[in-house]
Amino acid sequence: MHTPPAPSANDWSPEEFRSYCQQVSDWIAGYLAGLRSYPVLSPVQPGQIKSALPASPPASPEPFAQILVDFERVILPGITHWNHPRFFAYFSITGSGPGILGELLAAALNVNAMLWKTSPAATEMEEVVLDWLRQMLRLPEAFRGVINDTASVSSLCAMAAAREAAGLQVRDKGLSGRQGLPRLCMYTSEQAHSSIEKAAIVLGIGQQGLRKIPCDHHYRMDVEALAQAIRHDIAAGYRPLCVIATIGTTSTTSVDPVAAIAELCAAHGLWLHVDAAYAGVTAMLPEKRDLFTGWEQADSIVVNPHKWLFTPIDCSVLFCRRPDVLRQAFSLTPEYLRTAEQDQVVNLMDYGVSLGRRFRSLKLWMVMRSLGTSGIAAVLRQHMSYAHRLGDLIAAHPQIELVTPVWFSTVVFRFRPPAVPEETVNALNARLLETVNHTGAVMLSHTVLRGQYALRLAIGNLRTTWEDVELAWRTVQEQAEKLTTADLG
Amino acid sequence: MHTPPAPSANDWSPEEFRSYCQQVSDWIAGYLAGLRSYPVLSPVQPGQIKSALPASPPASPEPFAQILVDFERVILPGITHWNHPRFFAYFSITGSGPGILGELLAAALNVNAMLWKTSPAATEMEEVVLDWLRQMLRLPEAFRGVINDTASVSSLCAMAAAREAAGLQVRDKGLSGRQGLPRLCMYTSEQAHSSIEKAAIVLGIGQQGLRKIPCDHHYRMDVEALAQAIRHDIAAGYRPLCVIATIGTTSTTSVDPVAAIAELCAAHGLWLHVDAAYAGVTAMLPEKRDLFTGWEQADSIVVNPHKWLFTPIDCSVLFCRRPDVLRQAFSLTPEYLRTAEQDQVVNLMDYGVSLGRRFRSLKLWMVMRSLGTSGIAAVLRQHMSYAHRLGDLIAAHPQIELVTPVWFSTVVFRFRPPAVPEETVNALNARLLETVNHTGAVMLSHTVLRGQYALRLAIGNLRTTWEDVELAWRTVQEQAEKLTTADLG
């Protein structure tokens, strides 16, 4: 039994901590080993978890054993298992062993890395590990990294820096009601992630100020259309600020022609931000380097270790070639945060929105050391080889077709039985996704491309094997077959 | 020895996980029990940690044992121990046992709570636990909570909602170059946290658009000055959007007169955001309720469980009485995030900047259950009683004076030996802080109030005892005595 807190022993004793932590550790070891026995997608109904939890907080302390029991009994059925080797939805991610223990240590230290002084190791570790990552991705030395929670925030910061770089005194004077300040605009492709549009809203650029440039047949930004849009906007009195290109878009993992975009940006003095949140890690592989041509000319790049670098969520890295501008956009030092050494050190609070900062670099350090760059490269190649192998199987299938090429580790496909009229194919595919996910064996997600509903299977979990991918493929075929028989046969 | 990853066993085996996790668990149990033996402030020099880490990432996998050794050897000396019972700087925080294990479980599940579907339990747990917190703080039912990483982001979101609530179509049209859109402005006190100014910069309001209203002698916003500023701005053609009041300012934990400010906001149709990141939890105590009068009329309120609710960083709660407006400011649903049940459930990605969301409510649930509301109240009262007791000792001291009343658990004071000329008192206090922190026994921080340098001692760690506070007080006196003797005697 847990003893209610006494005045001088509010927290657990070391023995209690050790015992409870061991219970949790055993549970996790079993969970990770047994993940394949769970349905990937939680089968609960809306409101089910809520109704199983007490409506009010407990007045008295409750024993930890009871909390763990409720975790398993009430919470676990409502979990969609992102750490499952057959979670293939959105982008597949991994809470790896070393990453999980990195989070455990960070929570125990509980430092706030806002200032160098408030934990020199957390700041210097972040600098060192992100420089490791920079070297691994073969980015020039000028790029400095900083960790944010998510790519949404990393891109917001990059776009704020772009706004600042224009020399319009936005930081000081704001944007509205200013004589002579034109409408501002930014450019991205119609396939860009929704976080880019959200950032444009937050920054006061507005949805109208974000131009969504059309794409070519492979969903890559059309550079000629971009050039025209910029020229048109300038002629119409707009002030273009930046272009956001994507290496690995969300729907299809397509890759914008970054080199050509960089050239345009240079010609017009625009900031270039590259969203490589998912695919950026593959820049370490010589055979993928051609997809990254020109990204070294970007002003900023986002790469998320919590996506395809086996690090638990959250950990998003913003690399910036002009950290001085990022600092200029965000730095504010009230008296209570001034320190004697502030001119000799980096205070990471100066490079983003949040003052408080968890010790996120610790888990990344533990993951990079545990796997080594060779281990990381091997896993990335493994995932991509699975994706290509699956792509080949789909290409050879009479009724299921690939919708886009396999660029990295995500496969986009569509059930297209010849007998079915085109107008019902979308509904059929939506039903297929639903039935596949309801088996619990795997989880996929979807997108719509030029009006066509398509399924996405993204490979990225450290524990995924070819057998897992094969099971997914078998499930898709079985469910497709059933649908055909039941609904169309 | 750790075996390099083989194609089908990229992550640790269950046995490895269990064994490594137990090593980490043992280390943490010892760390928490032995924290008082560490110097609170890290004594390392700038660059020291960096130079002890390899300049490049390892190519090959490294054994976990080696990583743990390096953690202790290289990282630990560079840690400023925020979890130390004698960390009294900034605002004292706690990584409590249940909070740490909550983080451990969240990292192992590694779910992303962006959509209800992507982990129903994470979304519904967040709704339930924040409603527990709402009840505990006696806020009206209309307030809905959402978790962000930090108060910086919570306040940014609140201020973005205020901008949206003005009906100026900022989301769609942006702010710049618009005919007829006046300059916008927001109001806060000169004692507000720097994150408010940073948010004004990000949102395109600009530093000039944020009016810093003067305070009374106790550092509380002067409501008459606020009323005048609003009238003056309206007359000058500005469009006021919102007021940000603070309950528990960073320097002195002063409390703005929220009821009077709420009245003004109602009269002018302004959004009222209350920053109660630190002190908000004390709204649960009847004896502190008078300091919160009027906050229930706010449109939004931020309270940080990672500050004074024993939950590891990060966990900041934004309560909003008009969640529809928050949603209107932020909601964007690209095709790949559409789900069948989206109209029946809450998708938390709709209420803030970040799409990706960790399962942060889990640790808060574990902390609230482990302590119970009675346990939480007891600890808060204990901390405040220590602060008042220390305040009394300082008030009785001939050479050290209280600079402000003790409102909650933070004590602000100043060494003021009668023999020392006023112009050297600031330097003397800066030196005092430095020497006190260099003992390693305790860590305090500072502020400057009306030109006077003052020391801050903030109590908030779950494991802090009166003996810890007493040791801090003894250290301050001893160092003050030495300074007087050495430099002035």
Side-chain angles (χ1 to χ4, degrees), chain B residues 271-415:
Chain B
W271 185 282
L272 173 58
H273 175 59
V274 174
D275 176 357
Y278 152 70
V281 286
T282 65
M284 76 182 295
L285 306 174
E287 67 270 27
K288 305 307 281 185
R289 286 300 292 180
D290 57 327
L291 294 172
F292 290 84
T293 309
W295 86 325
E296 72 287 348
Q297 295 171 59
D299 297 284
S300 56
I301 295 173
V302 55
V303 176
N304 280 12
H306 78 221
K307 280 210 168 65
W308 202 6
L309 198 51
F310 323 118
T311 306
I313 184 171
D314 46 19
C315 185
S316 170
V317 176
L318 177 61
F319 284 112
C320 192
R321 204 160 45 78
R322 299 166 67 185
D324 51 318
V325 180
L326 194 59
R327 190 171 189 285
Q328 198 177 313
F330 286 108
S331 174
L332 274 180
T333 308
E335 179 57 42
Y336 47 81
L337 296 176
R338 285 189 199 285
T339 61
E341 69 287 342
Q342 64 189 17
D343 299 326
Q344 312 155 237
V345 298
V346 167
N347 286 324
L348 289 168
M349 67 166 191
D350 288 339
Y351 297 86
V353 175
S354 289
L355 172 61
R357 317 183 74 256
R358 286 199 303 136
F359 191 179
R360 294 190 185 95
S361 57
L362 186 62
K363 59 185 172 183
L364 181 56
W365 177 69
M366 291 173 71
V367 169
M368 288 183 76
R369 291 191 61 178
S370 287
L371 287 170
T373 53
S374 63
I376 293 167
V379 179
L380 297 180
R381 286 184 169 126
Q382 190 183 80
H383 289 167
M384 290 192 282
S385 78
Y386 295 165
H388 283 285
R389 199 162 156 193
L390 175 63
D392 291 344
L393 291 173
I394 292 174
H397 193 280
Q399 303 203 323
I400 301 181
E401 63 188 22
L402 275 182
V403 173
T404 63
V406 176
W407 299 102
F408 300 98
S409 66
T410 299
V411 186
V412 187
F413 61 94
R414 190 165 191 254
F415 182 34

Side-chain angles (χ1 to χ4, degrees), chain A residues 7 10-11 47 50 56 59 62 70 78 82-83 108 118 121 124 135 163 198 201 335 352 369 374 382 446 463, chain B residues 7 11 47 50 56 59 62 70 78 82-83 108 118 121 124 135 163 198 201 335 352 369 374 382 446 462-463:
Chain A
N10 292 323
D11 202 8
K50 207 184 291 189
S56 296
E62 296 188 278
D70 290 346
W82 286 70
N83 224 355
T118 61
E124 297 194 10
Q135 293 170 51
R163 196 182 63 177
K198 199 176 268 201
I201 293 171
E335 179 57 42
R369 290 192 62 179
S374 63
Q382 191 181 80
H446 82 284
R463 300 175 206 95
Chain B
D11 202 10
K50 208 184 292 190
S56 296
E62 296 188 278
D70 290 346
W82 285 71
N83 223 355
T118 61
E124 297 193 11
Q135 294 170 49
R163 195 182 65 176
K198 198 174 271 201
I201 293 171
E335 179 57 42
R369 291 191 61 178
S374 63
Q382 190 183 80
H446 82 284
L462 197 53
R463 301 175 204 93

